Every structure is written in structure tokens, then in C-alpha cells.
Amino acid sequence: MGRDVLVVGILILLCSEFVSSAPSANSPATIATRSMVKFENGYTVETVFDGSKLGIEPYSIEVLPNGELLILDSENSNIYKISSSLSLYSRPRLVTGSPEGYAGHVDGRLRDARLNHPKGLAVDDRGNIYVADTVNNAIRKISEGGVTTIAGGKTARNGGHVDGPSEDAKFSNDFDVVYLGSSCSLLVIDRGNKAIREIHLHFDDCAYQYGSGFPLGIAVLVAAGFFGYMLALLQRRVGSIVSSHDQEMFEADHDQKPSRPSLIPTGEEQQEKQDESFLVSLGNLASFS
């Protein structure tokens, strides 16, 4: 009797373990696949910037229109600028933030401004820098005049999803920014809200080439009009030269040809003959009388 109870208990235990280990209908099935790696030869890896020796923790990099690089140090809330010819001896320059790593939400002069663990960078055609200041729930703009806030910033803790005027906009705590020159806008990849948002920028920041004070589109139109005008003048000049040359050739040929009376009288000759016949008629009438 005791042995039967023991056997039944073991069977119940095995059945319970089998049921608990079986995948449920709601849980996704995990399929194990064997990795297949194919290396392509001809590549090497080299450290060209060691932030550990400079107290800088690179989070992302963005390229400026003049070729320089921006280094985003999210941990210390700083942005640095460095030459594109990187080496272990390169020394970056602080663009904005705090050398001591102080965080905050302060607009104003570059050295006085404060960021709060930003996570993304974007650069427009004129070299302005847009920062995804995630902890501050704001999008900041860095220009020669200093640092400003162009969207969000009122709700730094909870975040949200609110469109509309920039001062009322809300973002999640996980977003990045991308500059789109074709539409002169800034795209916000709002991961926390599973959305892509758009901010239309100033036209001057999109239509200008770096270091130029004249709109590129207008410059192209002016150049096209100028070359069209010069081409028309050239065609007119060539046409006048060709026509004058043809006229000279015609006159030279006309002078060389012997002149002979025309078989068909011209209008002037007919008028002279009519006058002569009229005078002859008058003379005959006078003699008859």
C-alpha cells in the first residue's frame, strides 16, 4: 500500500513538472538558430581617440559642414569639437556645457549653458547644432549667438506626447533628432511614444551653404539668368557678323557681274515711258491744232 502511494506521488510530480515546462499558447516560441559568420578581409580597427585619458565619454558623433567633428558626452552633459584628422594626440575643444560635468537646463552663452544628459545631435546646413536634451525633455539649438530652447522643456520628469506650439510640446524620455534639409525640418524620433515628429526650421538655416551669406537657390537662378543673357548676346553678335559678311559677299558678286538691261521693265521705267508718251501726245495735238 505504501509503495503504491509512493509511485502515485512520483507520477504526479513528473506530470506537474512536464506541464510547467511546456510553453504556453500566449508566450512566443523561442527558436534557436546556429550563427553563421563570414568575415571579409582587408579591414583593421584602430583607436584614434581615447576619452578615458581626457575625462570624456563619447556617446555619439556628428559631422559639421566644415568637416570638423562634434563629440557628444552624454554622461557629463558636454559637447566637444575636434578636427576630423583624429589621433591619440587630438585635443577636443568644449563647445558648450560644464568642464566640471554640471547638468541643468540653462540657456544663454555657450560656456554658461547647461545640458542634462543629452542623447542625440543634428547639424543644419549653416552649422547650427540641435540637441536632443532628453532628461530636460527639450530640444536645444546651439548657434554662434549661444544656446536656446526651440521645443519642449516644461515637463522634464514625466514627459508626454503633445503637438502644437513649440513651448507647449512634450516628448518622451527617449528621443533623438535628425536634420532633413530637403524639407527644411528637424525630425524627432520619439521612441518612447513610438512616433516620428517634425519641427519646421527657419529658411535661412536650410537654404544657405556653410560660410556663405547668399541663398544657394537664388544664386543658381541668378547665374542661370546671367549665362542665358550672355548666350543670347553672343548669338545676336554672331548673327550680325554672319549677315554683314553675307551682305559684303553679295555686293562683291554684284559688282563683278556685267550689267545688262532687264527684259522686264521696272516700275520706274514704265512711269518714264508713260510720261514720254503723254508728252508726245501733247506735241502731236499742238501741231495738229
Side-chain angles (χ1 to χ4, degrees):
M1 183 68 180
R3 181 179 296 177
D4 295 338
V5 173
L6 180 60
V7 171
V8 172
I10 293 174
L11 291 175
I12 294 174
L13 181 61
L14 292 175
C15 291
S16 62
E17 290 181 356
F18 176 78
V19 172
S20 61
S21 62
S24 62
N26 296 328
S27 62
T30 302
I31 301 176
T33 58
R34 186 177 60 180
S35 61
M36 298 179 63
V37 180
K38 181 180 180 181
F39 282 103
E40 183 177 348
N41 297 327
Y43 297 94
T44 58
V45 179
E46 180 184 2
T47 300
V48 294
F49 180 83
D50 190 355
S52 62
K53 297 180 179 179
L54 302 173
I56 299 175
E57 302 183 26
Y59 183 83
S60 66
I61 289 180
E62 189 68 27
V63 182
L64 288 169
N66 64 354
E68 290 185 303
L69 302 179
L70 290 174
I71 299 178
L72 174 62
D73 183 354
S74 177
E75 182 64 27
N76 297 305
S77 302
N78 291 328
I79 297 177
Y80 296 89
K81 184 185 295 184
I82 193 171
S83 173
S84 58
S85 56
L86 293 173
S87 70
L88 293 177
Y89 303 100
S90 300
R91 290 296 180 268
R93 305 182 304 275
L94 181 65
V95 176
T96 189
S98 169
E100 296 80 14
Y102 296 138
H105 191 167
V106 179
D107 291 331
R109 295 186 302 176
L110 295 177
R111 291 303 179 94
D112 297 333
R114 296 291 180 266
L115 308 173
N116 200 345
H117 303 287
K119 298 294 184 181
L121 290 175
V123 181
D124 63 22
D125 293 334
R126 204 171 188 179
N128 298 313
I129 306 168
Y130 301 91
V131 183
D133 199 353
T134 50
V135 177
N136 284 327
N137 197 251
I139 296 177
R140 318 283 292 279
K141 178 181 178 181
I142 303 174
S143 62
E144 295 179 354
V147 181
T148 58
T149 299
I150 66 171
K154 288 187 176 181
T155 56
R157 292 184 178 180
N158 300 326
H161 189 172
V162 177
D163 293 333
S166 59
E167 61 271 15
D168 298 329
K170 294 182 180 180
F171 307 95
S172 69
N173 294 326
D174 183 13
F175 64 92
D176 201 347
V177 289
V178 175
Y179 170 69
L180 189 61
S182 59
S183 61
C184 190
S185 62
L186 191 71
L187 297 182
V188 182
I189 299 90
D190 198 344
R191 302 185 186 95
N193 289 319
K194 300 179 181 179
I196 297 177
R197 324 274 290 277
E198 184 178 25
I199 301 174
H200 291 284
L201 304 176
H202 296 161
F203 175 77
D204 293 345
D205 296 328
C206 303
Y208 282 69
Q209 285 187 330
Y210 185 80
S212 173
F214 197 75
L216 178 60
I218 297 178
V220 172
L221 292 177
V222 171
F226 174 76
F227 284 114
Y229 176 72
M230 294 300 295
L231 181 60
L233 288 180
L234 180 61
Q235 290 177 345
R236 184 175 179 181
R237 179 62 177 169
V238 171
S240 62
I241 293 174
V242 172
S243 61
S244 62
H245 180 70
D246 292 342
Q247 182 67 23
E248 292 176 357
M249 293 294 294
F250 174 77
E251 292 177 354
D253 293 341
H254 183 71
D255 294 338
Q256 292 177 1
K257 291 181 180 180
S259 60
R260 61 180 181 178
S262 176
L263 299 177
I264 301 176
T266 61
E268 295 180 355
E269 293 176 349
Q270 290 180 354
Q271 184 66 30
E272 290 177 356
K273 289 183 178 181
Q274 290 178 359
D275 294 340
E276 291 178 357
S277 61
F278 178 72
L279 293 175
V280 171
S281 299
L282 288 178
N284 294 333
L285 181 61
S287 61
F288 178 76
S289 60

